[in-house]
Every structure is written in C-alpha cells, then in structure tokens.
Amino acid sequence: MGFLDFLKGADINSGVDEFKATPGALLLDVRTPQEYRSGHIPGSENVPLQVIDAATGRIEAKDTPVFVYCQSGGRSSQAAAALKRMGYSCVKNIGGIASYSGTLER
C-alpha cells in the first residue's frame, strides 16, 4: 500500500465480492427509493440514509456483516457511522455505485 492510498475511496467492486463471499451478510443501498429503482446492485436492500434507523427491523443480530453503499460514498459513510452508533459491529462502507463495474438490476 502506497503512502497516499488512504486518500482513495472504498473499492465498491472488491466490496461486493467480499459481500458475496460472506455468509449471512447484508448489502444495504442507502440512496433514495428513486435512485434505487434506477439501478442497484443485485441482492441489495434499499434503506435510505434518511431512515437508516429502519435498518434495525431488517438486521436482527448486531454482529451481522453489513456492507453499505450509495452513489459516491458520502451517504454510505454516514450510514455506516450511524449503524455503528446503533451497536452494529461488522459494518463496512464499500463506497459508491458510480464506480461499480458489474451489472445493475432494475
């Protein structure tokens, strides 16, 4: 890892691969419902940042691996921090869908 690698955002493509390889993991798209309907990563669930508290109804165990993404990484960073404050221990911000190279579901 180079000196400035920490300045790079999360790599959503490797994050999605990690999600797929993690048993019992949940992939949250924290964009708006309209953004979600325009195209999302297969297997993801839409819980907009504005109602991130609603995730507690979908994530029962506090140690469930949760992978979070949005459009560019900003909202997912906020959502990941909120989930950690709620007591979830395995939360990872994987960045923004704008950099995703896989197929989207509509």
Side-chain angles (χ1 to χ4, degrees):
M1 178 157 102
F3 177 69
L4 296 178
D5 282 349
F6 72 93
L7 293 175
K8 293 180 186 174
D11 178 8
I12 192 165
N13 296 297
S14 63
V16 170
D17 289 343
E18 187 178 347
F19 156 72
K20 289 177 181 176
T22 305
L26 184 65
L27 180 61
L28 293 185
D29 182 325
V30 297
R31 299 175 301 151
T32 66
Q34 295 82 3
E35 289 173 303
Y36 184 78
R37 284 191 301 270
S38 72
H40 55 272
I41 297 171
S44 66
E45 293 188 32
N46 186 220
V47 179
L49 175 61
Q50 296 80 359
V51 294
I52 195 64
D53 292 348
T56 58
R58 294 187 177 162
I59 313 168
E60 294 180 20
K62 297 286 186 174
D63 62 348
T64 298
V66 182
F67 295 81
V68 186
Y69 75 92
C70 64
Q71 184 63 34
S72 63
R75 285 177 283 180
S76 56
S77 176
Q78 293 175 47
L83 289 166
K84 288 176 184 176
R85 282 192 304 274
M86 287 187 267
Y88 293 96
S89 60
C90 299
V91 180
K92 184 171 186 175
N93 173 16
I94 62 171
I97 196 171
S99 301
Y100 182 60
S101 61
T103 303
L104 298 178
E105 193 172 76
R106 296 194 196 295

